[in-house]
Amino acid sequence: MTLNEILRQIETGQNDWQEQLETYLLNAEPDEIYQASEQLAAYGFVEEAIRMLEHLVYLFPEEEQLKVDQAIWMLEVGREEQALTILQEIPRQSEVYPQVLLAMADYYQMTGLYEVAEQKLEEATRLMPDEPLLKLAKAELKRETGRYLEAARIYEEVYPLRSELPHIDLSQKLAETYSAGAAYEEAIPYFKDSLAQGEAPDKLFQYGYALFQIGDYKAAIEQLDEVLAADPDYYSAYLLSAQAYGMLEENQSALERIEQGIEKDSFEKEYYLVAGKLALKLGQEDKAQRYFSEAIALDPEYIDGILHLVHLYMHQEEYEAVVQLAADVQADGATLTSLYPFLAQSHHELENYNKAYDFYKLAYTEQKEDVYFLEKYAYFLLEEGKRKEAKSVIEQLLSLHPQAVEWREMIDNL
């Protein structure tokens, strides 16, 4: 039986392929065994590949490339101690020593020991200063540790050699790296180059996001339309597309797009929040109320949704609804101090003066820099005859706005 026949058995799920493999290996040449190990590892049978390499290492103990390959696969299956022991036994003067350093760097990077990983890569680069794969490894490490501009500089060095690296999309790596560092203008031409090599929803979305960030909203929408044409379930594209329409003040189109997103993913609270805000812009308060409420239903502690609904109720002078919403939120175990000013004003309007007083006092600590709140509080205290407390609040107002004549005169009268 040939190796290709055995691989076909693996692909079709036959259970006796391992027996067939053992028979095949008894008569196979070393080169064939090595090829079989690579193909088995590619199919996910890494332990079997390691055993085959162990056999080859036994036959050819001087072949250090076999040891490197064996150690790399051991790292893949979590046999780190054995792998590192093998790698550390390979001498520095070996031709494969740069591969040893690269494998160790990958391991230390994977375990979060970035400084050690970088040291290994620097040592390997000194041995092979013109090796593009080592430069790419350095770029990947710098990118992973947030040094995006340094990573981009190294990618730029390798970029002229991209024809020698056909399996690596350097254009996309540069585009993503510049984007990660918020250098969206620099990312744009590389996104274009990458897309010219082949389109994919992720690429199109990232390009659309970069266009959005530089303020080219129409072009962003065009890219996001392509994303959704290729993959209607690419949920993030609905949100970003709606936001782009919103930036163009095309609010009806924005609302329609986010509503399409809600149809696809009805459990994303942010979609409902955006839909509610857009409905408000269009003067559709009932729809906005419904969307804000649905966002809160998904997450009773969703502060953005709660505050938007409270602001809407206050605008509509629906003070009882504000009080009820706060009660519902607290019933779900959340105490939201940001609601205190609205509860104070709502209870004031509902003539629940004792409760209004309690909430004004609770809100005061966090609202000392809010002139609008302080004015409301001061007038309430004056109405309630609490002149001493009113004086303290007005003094705080004057500390923020010393030139406010009205409040200066009022405090003089007090």
Side-chain angles (χ1 to χ4, degrees):
M1 177 170 286
T2 66
L3 177 60
N4 286 335
E5 289 173 330
I6 294 171
L7 293 175
R8 277 196 293 272
Q9 287 187 339
I10 295 173
E11 290 175 348
T12 56
Q14 297 183 39
N15 295 325
D16 62 344
W17 66 268
Q18 289 180 321
E19 295 177 11
Q20 301 289 345
L21 181 64
E22 293 294 334
T23 303
Y24 166 77
L25 293 176
L26 287 174
N27 302 307
E29 295 293 325
D31 286 347
E32 293 177 312
I33 295 175
Y34 185 78
Q35 179 188 4
S37 71
E38 288 185 320
Q39 293 188 271
L40 281 174
Y43 275 86
F45 297 100
V46 181
E47 289 289 358
E48 287 81 356
I50 291 171
R51 285 198 293 273
M52 294 165 73
L53 284 178
E54 286 173 344
H55 175 66
L56 290 175
V57 170
Y58 175 78
L59 294 176
F60 306 102
E62 73 285 356
E63 288 292 335
E64 289 163 342
Q65 181 66 59
L66 295 172
K67 297 176 183 178
V68 173
D69 293 340
Q70 181 186 358
I72 289 173
W73 285 338
M74 283 180 170
L75 289 173
E76 282 193 20
V77 294
R79 293 164 60 179
E80 291 92 349
E81 289 187 15
Q82 291 173 277
L84 291 174
T85 298
I86 292 170
L87 293 171
Q88 289 164 354
E89 289 175 351
I90 297 175
R92 290 177 178 271
Q93 62 270 24
S94 170
E95 290 184 359
V96 301
Y97 191 65
Q99 293 183 50
V100 171
L101 293 169
L102 184 57
M104 294 178 77
D106 284 342
Y107 166 72
Y108 289 122
Q109 184 173 344
M110 180 179 63
T111 56
L113 297 171
Y114 297 113
E115 290 186 10
V116 181
E118 191 159 5
Q119 290 168 9
K120 299 297 181 185
L121 287 175
E122 291 294 346
E123 185 179 352
T125 304
R126 285 194 293 272
L127 295 172
M128 300 181 69
D130 298 322
E131 174 53 53
L133 290 177
L134 286 175
K135 292 182 179 181
L136 286 176
K138 285 176 64 177
E140 293 290 323
L141 177 59
K142 290 180 183 295
R143 178 177 165 184
E144 187 172 335
T145 53
R147 292 175 288 174
Y148 301 115
L149 294 182
E150 291 180 54
R153 178 182 56 78
I154 298 172
Y155 283 132
E156 293 277 14
E157 289 179 15
V158 182
Y159 193 70
L161 306 174
R162 59 191 180 280
S163 60
E164 300 174 22
L165 303 163
H167 302 299
I168 299 172
D169 189 345
L170 275 174
S171 296
Q172 185 67 13
K173 284 188 177 293
L174 269 163
E176 291 176 354
T177 303
Y178 276 126
S179 291
Y184 298 105
E185 291 278 5
E186 290 81 355
I188 296 298
Y190 292 109
F191 275 125
K192 291 179 179 178
D193 286 347
S194 180
L195 287 167
Q197 299 171 37
E199 294 186 357
D202 283 343
K203 282 186 183 184
L204 289 165
F205 179 81
Q206 291 167 1
Y207 182 32
Y209 182 81
L211 290 166
F212 180 91
Q213 291 297 325
I214 66 171
D216 194 348
Y217 304 117
K218 287 186 177 180
I221 291 167
E222 290 175 5
Q223 295 303 315
L224 295 166
D225 284 345
E226 289 191 37
V227 173
L228 294 172
D231 182 3
D233 293 328
Y234 204 111
Y235 301 144
S236 300
Y238 291 101
L239 178 58
L240 186 59
S241 181
Q243 291 170 332
Y245 276 120
M247 296 302 292
L248 294 171
E249 295 296 330
E250 296 180 20
N251 296 316
Q252 185 60 47
S253 296
L255 181 57
E256 290 170 2
R257 179 52 54 88
I258 200 63
E259 287 176 335
Q260 292 169 4
I262 290 171
E263 289 178 8
K264 288 291 183 180
D265 182 5
S266 60
F267 296 99
E268 178 50 66
K269 62 187 180 184
E270 190 176 359
Y271 287 5
Y272 292 102
L273 179 66
V274 171
K277 291 159 70 173
L278 289 166
L280 275 184
K281 285 187 176 182
L282 293 166
Q284 301 173 15
E285 293 187 358
D286 289 345
K287 180 179 280 192
Q289 180 180 326
R290 185 175 74 252
Y291 280 133
F292 293 146
S293 298
E294 289 178 3
I296 298 166
L298 289 170
D299 179 2
E301 297 184 25
Y302 187 29
I303 185 61
D304 283 345
I306 292 167
L307 288 175
H308 275 86
L309 184 54
V310 165
H311 278 289
L312 177 57
Y313 283 148
M314 296 297 290
H315 168 72
Q316 296 172 332
E317 299 183 358
E318 295 286 349
Y319 303 115
E320 290 183 357
V322 173
V323 173
Q324 184 59 54
L325 176 60
D328 292 342
V329 169
Q330 290 186 325
D332 282 302
T335 301
L336 299 173
T337 58
S338 52
L339 292 185
Y340 291 162
F342 304 105
L343 285 168
Q345 185 179 346
S346 295
H347 281 298
H348 187 183
E349 297 290 345
L350 294 169
E351 300 182 1
N352 300 324
Y353 299 119
N354 289 336
K355 287 186 177 181
Y357 179 54
D358 290 339
F359 279 112
Y360 271 124
K361 287 194 296 183
L362 287 169
Y364 182 64
T365 302
E366 293 187 5
Q367 304 294 325
K368 282 185 176 180
E369 306 299 316
D370 187 332
V371 172
Y372 178 80
F373 169 79
L374 292 174
E375 289 181 346
K376 292 276 186 184
Y377 190 16
Y379 279 122
F380 172 80
L381 290 169
L382 290 170
E383 289 174 10
E384 292 297 296
K386 301 180 185 295
R387 296 166 62 86
K388 185 176 180 180
E389 292 177 62
K391 181 178 180 181
S392 175
V393 173
I394 294 170
E395 286 173 345
Q396 174 63 16
L397 263 170
L398 286 170
S399 72
L400 298 173
H401 290 281
Q403 308 304 320
V405 176
E406 176 187 355
W407 294 108
R408 176 68 60 190
E409 292 176 351
M410 188 172 291
I411 205 167
D412 289 341
N413 293 332
L414 288 171

